[in-house]
Amino acid sequence: MGDVLDKNKIIEIGDDYASKYGFSDPEEYFHKGARGINHEVVEMISRMKKEPDWMRKFRHKALDIFLSKPMPGWGNTKLLNEIDFESIYYYIKPIEAQGRSWDEVPEYIKNTFDKLGIPEAEKKFLAGVSAQYESEVVYHSLKEDLEKQGIIFLDMDSGLREHPDIVKKYLGTVIPAMDNKFAALNSAVWSGGSFIYVPPDVDVKIPLQAYFRINAENMGQFERTLIIADKGSRVHYIEGCTAPVYSTDSLHSAVVELIALDNAYIRYTTIQNWSKNVYNLVTKRAMAHKGATVEWVDGNLGSKFTMKYPCVYLVGEGARGEILSVAFAGEGQHQDSGAKVIHAAPNTSSRVTSKSISKASGRSSYRGLVKVYPKAEKSKVSVECDALLLDEASRSDTYPTMEIDSDNVRIEHEARVSKVAEDQLFYLMSRGLTEDEARLLIINGFIEPFTKELPMEYAVELNRLIELEMEGSVG
Amino acid sequence: MSDKREIFSIKDIHVKVEGKEVVKGLSLEINRGEKHAIMGPNGSGKSSLAQALAGHPGYEITSGEAFLDGKNLFEMDATERSLAGLFLAFQYPYAIPGVTVANFLRTAIKARANGDESVLRNFRKDLMEKFELLQMDKVFATRYVNDGFSGGEKKRLEILQMAMLNPKVAILDETDSGLDIDALKIVSSGINTVASSDNAILLVTHYQRILNYVKPDKIHVMIDGKIVESGGPELAIQLEEQGYDRIKRSFDEKVGI
């Protein structure tokens, strides 16, 4: 019960957001390419990474697609059209070689990790740390017991070098470059990300974790993650993100592909806290084969504009998909997030739970698609959207789409918009909590269905981030 | 003016809700170790009085004053009143989804100690004792505050909170309503356990029933925003037999309605 008791407790911390998350290091990079995007940049990236020819071609082809595709004509097009692709750095390599051990990692990068608390986290229960600093993974450790089980956990560049056959077989199969403009951009200039392969029937008992971090002003971060859980295996991957505060806009456009083969289980947990000038345009999609389960647990704080709709294709009979998300939109922020589930086989089931909090004119949108194909008989769909508005100036929209082409399907859909009730606040205040403490407790309660799915330290971190977001918001 | 024994006093207070006066000049003094009951028919302003005393922002105190152990109540907001030792058991407690009872109480107890964690050293043990006192299943510690609770469970939780927070003055607003006889006995025994020679309890109730188990020292009858009659425990029995009509009639005659 200790966990239950501690999870939501209010943490006393000061106004240390800037020193905790707003620090930045002097930019001492081995290589910083030119701004802008073209075939020369793509060629340079591929050459520097000494990639096989097929990957070089993959990148060039993707760039053509990126250049030919128009901007999405939906969502917040005003913000989208403010992105200046020519002012962005597409590749920065911080040191010549990847740090093999902690001792070899440069001191200023270590300081950054220290501030993020990575070594401590590792001491506790990390299986392997793959921390992305700029575009290249500089520190990556993998516990021996995982290696013994045949589990591959590498940064994506190493994955391509060491396991080209697996990468070539699966990369781009779930999210082809053609999928959308930002998936095309990522395919052209990707760097870093995680590569995980879990052999059949192996249960990865401890979560695999990676920290991502943007540091250089005006640089894009285009990590590419590919996770393959072979038949009957189980894996939980966790990524957390923070970014320092800068005055001009950064672009983060990741692609994450998950493949759960027959009866496999993948959970992918993200808590992101990008600085408030970052465009966060991410494509995440999973294939769940027969009897497989994929769960996306997705927390979105920070960023200027987020577009992210984790997706599960249920392609095998009995497959299950779950998407649990929380978004927090503060001043000047738009969180456009949601979920997509495609039922393409019988007896498949999905559950979408979306929670959003908007304050100080922040805007959160839920955008969801559930599609059930005719042959997906006896499938179950459950969608629940909960929005909490903290003041009159804030905004919440819901754009649910359901395309149900099978008769024999059970569908549940619920959407609610609520406010923190004065009576609830009074009740808590009458027990000695201040108004701020009372509001925070109510908010923590609101997102409890999400935080209870997180490992303890992430739940604490999330509540802490929300407390920071809430500071000074109440008069 | 107040002697040392007095712990709670209300002097001629008037309360407005949405522009309408609901408490119209009410005074009361309670000494340490005493239990008082305010009885009255529906709409007499009992619950408004309780909400106003606890500091609900929707209840405007237009005149009068109140002191809790020497502190001026109306110079404090709801939080400060609670920290000063006031407790209100709500007639209709609110649900706080996602917040467990244990977490809620830890937060409330820590708030009383300026965030000093050491006050939580015996928290678990204390909480379990109080669950036993109110004959509640310990699983309630991990349930969300009042979320999906039955009426009776909510009332027990209010008294459990009182027992954990150990107030100087507890106002219990219709705590007996919606309880079956067994639950009423349990809740009453909880109240009696908390009551001591150092604190005071003000029961607000429509019915005499709870007063069979929680014995008041004084009873005040409230009608139309005022206390119209005060007396000893015998007054409750009289009310039970004759209803409020007798008092109401004599009150109406007095004010000339």
Side-chain angles (χ1 to χ4, degrees):
Chain A
M1 203 168 71
D3 288 7
V4 177
L5 296 183
D6 284 324
K7 210 178 262 184
N8 273 359
K9 71 176 182 182
I10 291 176
I11 303 152
E12 267 74 37
I13 44 171
D15 187 14
D16 63 349
Y17 186 86
S19 62
K20 189 160 166 47
Y21 298 103
F23 50 86
S24 65
D25 297 307
E27 295 180 13
E28 297 169 15
Y29 302 102
F30 171 73
H31 187 94
K32 191 164 177 171
R35 290 172 199 261
I37 180 79
N38 50 50
H39 282 284
E40 283 90 79
V41 169
V42 166
E43 186 66 27
M44 185 272 292
I45 293 172
S46 193
R47 201 172 56 233
M48 287 196 62
K49 290 174 178 290
K50 301 186 177 75
E51 289 177 342
D53 197 48
W54 68 266
M55 179 51 74
R56 193 179 65 84
K57 285 178 179 154
F58 176 93
R59 288 180 182 276
H60 281 294
K61 197 175 155 200
L63 179 62
D64 286 335
I65 294 167
F66 168 74
L67 294 171
S68 66
K69 262 194 188 295
M71 268 294 187
W74 49 276
N76 195 330
T77 49
K78 183 179 167 287
L79 282 178
L80 277 179
N81 289 320
E82 283 172 11
I83 300 172
D84 179 7
F85 291 105
E86 290 309 309
S87 70
I88 292 166
Y89 289 108
Y90 288 87
Y91 182 63
I92 298 173
K93 192 174 179 179
I95 49 170
E96 177 145 24
Q98 185 177 328
R100 294 234 173 90
S101 73
W102 187 242
D103 289 342
E104 292 170 45
V105 175
E107 207 56 40
Y108 75 96
I109 290 180
K110 274 187 190 171
N111 288 341
T112 299
F113 288 149
D114 280 346
K115 285 180 187 173
L116 288 171
I118 288 187
E120 287 149 42
E122 193 189 6
K123 276 174 215 155
K124 286 176 191 162
F125 66 96
L126 280 189
V129 169
S130 152
Q132 180 163 3
Y133 191 95
E134 308 301 354
S135 304
E136 198 74 28
V137 172
V138 292
Y139 173 52
H140 195 145
S141 75
L142 188 61
K143 290 262 158 68
E144 278 184 4
D145 58 333
L146 290 181
E147 283 176 348
K148 274 180 209 153
Q149 295 173 78
I151 297 156
I152 302 166
F153 180 27
L154 295 168
D155 65 276
M156 195 65 219
D157 295 277
S158 303
L160 175 61
R161 270 195 305 275
E162 294 173 28
H163 303 276
D165 295 346
I166 306 178
V167 173
K168 194 175 179 183
K169 182 174 174 189
Y170 290 107
L171 192 88
T173 60
V174 185
I175 305 171
M178 273 306 287
D179 191 81
N180 67 74
K181 190 172 179 73
F182 294 96
L185 179 63
N186 176 282
S187 299
V189 299
W190 71 265
S191 198
S194 291
F195 173 66
I196 296 172
Y197 171 79
V198 186
D201 299 319
V202 170
D203 182 356
V204 187
K205 303 263 192 228
I206 29 185
L208 303 176
Q209 312 197 28
Y211 251 91
F212 294 89
R213 187 168 167 75
I214 294 180
N215 192 60
E217 189 174 3
N218 257 6
M219 75 148 290
Q221 182 148 335
F222 304 94
E223 83 268 13
R224 182 103 194 179
T225 288
L226 175 63
I227 300 177
I228 300 136
D230 214 323
K231 291 178 181 177
S233 68
R234 296 176 67 84
V235 63
H236 181 190
Y237 176 77
I238 303 180
E239 60 172 10
C241 310
T242 60
V245 181
Y246 275 115
S247 56
T248 54
D249 297 339
S250 291
L251 174 61
H252 173 248
S253 187
V255 167
V256 178
E257 297 176 285
L258 310 183
I259 295 151
L261 296 175
D262 292 1
N263 301 311
Y265 169 90
I266 302 176
R267 171 175 281 203
Y268 192 106
T269 299
T270 307
I271 295 183
Q272 63 150 60
N273 180 33
W274 300 108
S275 68
K276 287 173 184 167
N277 56 342
V278 170
Y279 281 86
N280 184 40
L281 311 169
V282 175
T283 310
K284 286 182 160 179
R285 190 174 301 157
M287 286 283 177
H289 290 268
K290 189 177 171 187
T293 295
V294 173
E295 296 167 349
W296 294 105
V297 179
D298 204 271
N300 300 293
L301 284 90
S303 86
K304 177 179 186 174
F305 180 41
T306 288
M307 288 177 89
K308 181 165 30 162
Y309 322 97
C311 169
V312 185
Y313 276 70
L314 302 164
V315 295
E317 179 157 9
R320 198 174 72 81
E322 178 146 2
I323 300 156
L324 180 59
S325 66
V326 162
F328 188 108
E331 192 177 354
Q333 294 181 296
H334 185 180
Q335 303 282 5
D336 196 306
S337 58
K340 285 206 281 187
V341 187
I342 314 296
H343 291 256
N347 290 308
T348 49
S349 64
S350 65
R351 192 214 303 263
V352 173
T353 310
S354 163
K355 298 251 173 193
S356 72
I357 301 162
S358 309
K359 85 157 228 265
S361 79
R363 181 177 170 194
S364 59
S365 310
Y366 169 80
R367 203 178 292 279
L369 171 68
V370 174
K371 182 161 181 70
V372 180
Y373 281 99
K375 68 176 174 184
E377 288 183 329
K378 296 180 189 161
S379 288
K380 289 179 203 152
V381 177
S382 157
V383 179
E384 192 183 330
C385 308
D386 258 343
L388 186 65
L389 297 177
L390 296 184
D391 49 58
E392 297 296 329
S394 302
R395 179 172 163 189
S396 160
D397 319 282
T398 308
Y399 308 98
T401 305
M402 295 233 181
E403 296 173 11
I404 314 297
D405 298 324
S406 175
D407 294 334
N408 194 1
V409 179
R410 204 175 81 204
I411 313 270
E412 290 167 20
H413 182 259
E414 258 185 83
R416 276 185 300 270
V417 179
S418 52
K419 289 173 184 168
V420 175
E422 190 183 62
D423 288 331
Q424 268 183 323
L425 285 176
F426 172 60
Y427 185 58
L428 296 178
M429 287 172 74
S430 79
R431 302 306 187 239
L433 277 65
T434 63
E435 189 175 340
D436 286 1
E437 288 167 343
R439 187 173 277 106
L440 190 62
L441 195 66
I442 291 167
I443 292 167
N444 284 346
F446 176 76
I447 61 165
E448 161 73 9
F450 182 87
T451 39
K452 77 176 182 200
E453 294 298 325
L454 299 176
M456 179 67 186
E457 61 200 63
Y458 283 84
V460 169
E461 172 89 348
L462 179 64
N463 284 347
R464 193 187 186 106
L465 288 173
I466 285 179
E467 184 174 358
L468 289 166
E469 294 286 346
M470 288 304 296
E471 261 172 25
S473 72
V474 187
Chain B
M1 181 171 135
S2 63
D3 64 57
K4 275 184 292 184
R5 292 186 57 229
E6 186 185 282
I7 194 164
F8 195 51
S9 67
I10 305 167
K11 291 178 186 122
D12 193 29
I13 72 161
H14 293 250
V15 178
K16 267 188 183 172
V17 185
E18 290 164 0
K20 186 173 171 256
E21 189 167 69
V22 287
V23 177
K24 304 171 180 175
L26 184 144
S27 301
L28 195 63
E29 282 174 17
I30 309 180
N31 292 323
R32 279 171 219 281
E34 286 183 352
K35 299 187 199 85
H36 287 212
I38 293 182
M39 299 184 69
N42 294 331
S44 57
K46 305 188 300 290
S47 281
S48 295
L49 174 69
Q51 296 276 314
L53 289 173
H56 192 298
Y59 293 78
E60 187 197 351
I61 291 155
T62 51
S63 68
E65 50 186 3
F67 291 89
L68 190 159
D69 206 11
K71 287 184 185 165
N72 188 337
L73 207 62
F74 300 150
E75 286 175 358
M76 299 186 275
D77 68 11
T79 308
E80 293 161 336
R81 290 180 204 189
S82 169
L83 299 181
L86 186 68
F87 180 87
L88 171 64
F90 281 59
Q91 184 180 2
Y92 302 109
Y94 294 97
I96 315 290
V99 177
T100 64
V101 167
N103 183 29
F104 169 49
L105 283 167
R106 286 170 76 100
T107 310
I109 287 169
K110 237 171 73 181
R112 309 185 115 61
N114 279 320
D116 178 7
E117 298 259 359
S118 69
V119 295
L120 295 170
R121 212 173 292 132
N122 296 318
F123 176 77
R124 188 78 53 93
K125 190 171 147 277
D126 290 347
L127 185 60
M128 291 308 136
E129 275 173 21
K130 304 304 189 271
F131 274 117
E132 261 165 49
L133 173 66
L134 288 149
Q135 299 185 25
M136 288 174 87
D137 194 318
K138 291 175 179 61
V139 79
F140 275 90
T142 58
R143 283 187 58 184
Y144 300 149
V145 177
N146 292 318
D147 196 20
F149 283 30
S150 71
E153 287 165 349
K154 285 180 185 172
K155 295 300 174 71
R156 286 192 205 195
L157 184 64
E158 291 296 289
I159 301 307
L160 181 134
Q161 291 177 43
M162 174 176 83
M164 287 297 285
L165 299 179
N166 211 6
K168 288 179 184 166
V169 173
I171 303 169
L172 311 182
D173 188 6
E174 306 263 0
T175 296
D176 51 336
S177 70
L179 294 181
D180 63 31
I181 190 70
D182 292 331
L184 182 67
K185 283 182 185 169
I186 293 162
V187 162
S188 299
S189 116
I191 296 167
N192 288 328
T193 306
V194 176
S196 76
S197 57
D198 286 327
N199 60 23
I201 286 171
L202 181 58
L203 294 153
V204 174
T205 180
H206 186 103
Y207 298 105
Q208 181 267 346
R209 201 172 61 139
I210 191 171
L211 307 182
N212 294 331
Y213 305 100
V214 181
K215 303 283 187 199
D217 301 289
K218 272 189 184 167
I219 289 177
H220 312 276
V221 180
M222 186 169 175
I223 289 175
D224 194 28
K226 284 182 177 172
I227 288 175
V228 295
E229 197 168 332
S230 294
E234 71 287 346
L235 188 55
I237 296 157
Q238 206 183 88
L239 278 174
E240 188 73 357
E241 286 165 358
Q242 303 171 359
Y244 289 105
D245 284 350
R246 197 262 312 158
I247 294 175
K248 217 174 168 178
R249 266 199 307 278
S250 72
F251 170 71
D252 289 350
E253 281 160 20
K254 258 189 267 174
V255 296
I257 296 171

